[in-house]
Amino acid sequence: MNLQAVIFIVILTIGIAAFFLGRELHRRNTKVRQRLQMGKIFTNITHELLTPLTVISASVDHLREEAPQHTHDYDMMQMNIQRMVRLLQQILETSKSQAGELKLKVANGDVMQYIHDTALCLEPLMTKKNLTFTVNCTPQSMMGWIDTDKFDKIIYNLLSNAAKYTEQGEVSLDVHTSRNYDYIYIKVRDTGSGIPKDKMKHLFERFYDGEYRRHKTFGTGLGLALTRDLVYLHNGTIECESEEGQGTTFTLSLPITKEAFKPEQIDEEHKIDFNIPKNAIIDFKPDVPDVNKDAFMDDTDDEDAYKILIVEDNLELLMLMQHMLRSHYRVFAAPNGKEALDIIHQTDLDLIVSDVMMPEMDGLELTQAIKEDDNYKHLPIILLTAKTQEEDQQEALRIGADEYLTKPFRLSDLKLRIDNIIENRKRAQQEFTQKSNEDIGKDEAPTPEQEFLKRAMACVHDHLDDASYDRDAFAADMGASPSTLYNKLRAITGMNVSTFIRDIRMKEAYKLAESNPNLRVNELAYRVGFQDPKYFSTCFKKQFGMQPKEFMEGLKS
């Protein structure tokens, strides 16, 4: 091979390499520009959303002054407004960090006191989870230079993360200084579940999904990534040690001397003001009620009232739906599908309203479990979800959901759907009530439901004069559990068990009165299983529009 050929091959190789290198550089530059552009878009959207939230917050404060009796509702509104503000601010900070626009502004103040007071703002969260929470600062007071806005977010993210993954035990924050008082070392420890080794390498990645669902919680995947960026911005370091089943420790090293920062990062004019609320830590209130504690609270004594189970992992939305529906129905509540199943197995229910995306067991899994169980498959289910794709709705309906409502939704729309399902059952009840026992026995087609109904009517007729014949005895005669009997009767007739028994007895009383109008009311009541003639008369009038005595006298005349 001559020299010219060698030179040509070398030049060709260099040209090809340059071409591919140039293309790769162009691709990377394009990605960087796109990322910067997306960062600007996120920043603009965040700013646009913060403005109406501010207006809403001011409007809530105005309503509080005008109608102070609705304190609970105002607190809930403000709590969720501030939660959205914090999330949007976190997105804004992350966008700035990606674009290299995150700026540090340190001021002089009592660093130890500030960290101590800021950490204690999360004590209500720890108390709510029954965790032991300790904050130790050594020394208790020391001046230094920090950016309080960044420290708020660092402390909030680390402590809330520790609480999130600790079901029982303790969370602690320990702070001490270096020998020369130029650094502080922060340790956040928990006795939680720990982090699997294969997850550690992704710990500080943005949008990493982590172990949220396994621990009955959710996250954005921004918290730890932003925390690392803020620590680096503060010229510090962050490390994590974790052992599965034992807990996790985050260790931070942060400079606090003036000399550690650039002149443009120093704010000489302001000292740390401890009277200013910690903006990042404001939405945890110790007086938020425990939804499980109130799950079985009955607000009505009406035995015919319809019973609804709400399954929702967002506490505020769950409380709001409970509050709205309790004036119309008996409302039970559960924070996830697994606990919902426990309530379903223990309680006679008429309808279930469930979120789709939940920890432990989601709404689709709950729906499938209910529809595959012969004892409960009659229960109507309304699913709530943030998913708006048509295939998501089709999947929900395919597994047996009766209604599908996308978030955000109006509570009036939810009530309308509940009312429609309940009204259908009430129509079934009205049709059943208007028919005589004989008509029901001979006119209906022999479907499995009607065969079940005929057997149920026969059981009641066999014990017509037995006042002690109750739902348990009835269920035993039918060879079914009380819950199965309740669900099937509700689905077919719109009645619960006691109402069904009473309806059969009332119709038989009407028939006996027609055939023998000379019967005394007391005797008529006893013959159809009523021990209290007054209660019998009340039920008779409610069903037929007149007192039994009035009815029989009318027959005589």
Side-chain angles (χ1 to χ4, degrees), residues 227-460:
T227 299
R228 179 200 56 186
D229 291 350
L230 296 176
V231 169
Y232 288 172
L233 183 68
H234 222 283
N235 302 321
T237 61
I238 181 170
E239 296 176 352
C240 178
E241 296 178 1
S242 186
E243 185 176 348
E244 282 194 80
Q246 299 297 317
T248 303
T249 300
F250 284 91
T251 304
L252 284 66
S253 171
L254 295 157
I256 57 170
T257 60
K258 186 177 179 180
E259 293 73 27
F261 305 100
K262 299 175 183 178
E264 62 269 20
Q265 295 177 326
I266 298 171
D267 186 353
E268 294 274 12
E269 299 179 4
H270 303 97
K271 288 190 176 183
I272 301 172
D273 186 353
F274 297 110
N275 294 319
I276 297 177
K278 316 303 186 284
N279 290 327
I281 310 169
I282 52 182
D283 63 345
F284 293 111
K285 295 192 175 186
D287 57 348
V288 173
D290 182 355
V291 65
N292 290 323
K293 182 179 179 182
D294 294 334
F296 295 96
M297 183 181 294
D298 294 337
D299 286 353
T300 175
D301 294 327
D302 184 1
E303 64 177 28
D304 292 332
Y306 281 79
K307 302 172 189 174
I308 294 174
L309 171 64
I310 303 175
V311 192
E312 170 61 63
D313 65 305
N314 182 283
L315 179 62
E316 291 79 25
L317 181 56
L318 179 55
M319 290 165 55
L320 197 59
M321 288 192 286
Q322 277 183 308
H323 181 71
M324 181 199 74
L325 295 173
R326 273 183 172 171
S327 59
H328 306 280
Y329 308 109
R330 294 174 65 182
V331 181
F332 300 81
N336 57 61
K338 187 175 180 182
E339 293 191 27
L341 280 180
D342 292 338
I343 295 175
I344 291 167
H345 293 155
Q346 297 169 12
T347 312
D348 292 334
L349 297 169
D350 296 300
L351 186 142
I352 297 170
V353 178
S354 175
D355 188 20
V356 170
M357 296 184 66
M358 296 181 295
E360 282 294 316
M361 176 188 281
D362 65 30
L364 296 178
E365 293 169 333
L366 174 63
T367 301
Q368 194 159 11
I370 292 170
K371 296 303 180 180
E372 289 177 353
D373 191 325
D374 288 338
N375 292 326
Y376 306 105
K377 64 183 180 182
H378 306 284
L379 284 173
I381 300 175
I382 299 175
L383 288 180
L384 313 173
T385 182
K387 295 182 176 181
T388 58
Q389 298 297 319
E390 185 177 349
E391 54 267 26
D392 296 318
Q393 182 173 352
Q394 290 175 348
E395 172 67 11
L397 296 176
R398 185 185 65 79
I399 64 173
D402 295 83
E403 287 278 1
Y404 189 92
L405 199 58
T406 57
K407 294 181 178 179
F409 59 87
R410 291 185 175 184
L411 290 174
S412 57
D413 290 341
L414 172 61
K415 186 177 181 299
L416 179 62
R417 283 163 170 76
I418 293 173
D419 288 345
N420 285 341
I421 292 174
I422 297 300
E423 282 302 315
N424 287 335
R425 290 200 161 186
K426 286 181 177 178
R427 279 193 288 271
Q429 177 178 349
Q430 188 176 16
E431 291 174 4
F432 182 86
T433 303
Q434 289 174 349
K435 293 181 180 180
S436 68
N437 294 338
E438 290 77 8
D439 289 338
I440 294 170
K442 66 182 180 181
D443 291 343
E444 301 293 345
T447 63
E449 289 77 14
Q450 293 305 325
E451 291 295 337
F452 177 89
L453 190 58
K454 290 175 185 177
R455 283 202 302 121
M457 293 171 59
C459 286
V460 177

Side-chain angles (χ1 to χ4, degrees), residues 68 76 88 91 113 183 187 202 240 245 293 318 388 416 439 478 507 522 553:
M76 190 180 297
L88 290 171
I91 294 172
Q113 185 67 43
Y183 273 80
K187 283 186 181 292
H202 303 291
C240 178
K293 182 179 179 182
L318 179 55
T388 58
L416 179 62
D439 289 338
M478 290 293 293
K507 288 174 180 175
N522 288 10
E553 287 179 352

Side-chain angles (χ1 to χ4, degrees), residues 189-220:
R189 296 188 182 93
D190 66 64
T191 58
S193 58
I195 304 169
K197 290 183 179 179
D198 60 322
K199 308 288 185 184
M200 286 290 288
K201 60 183 178 181
H202 303 291
L203 193 60
F204 295 107
E205 291 181 8
R206 289 186 183 91
F207 306 114
Y208 180 60
D209 194 34
E211 299 283 282
Y212 301 121
R213 288 187 178 275
R214 186 163 70 88
H215 292 277
K216 310 178 189 179
T217 185
F218 290 110
T220 60

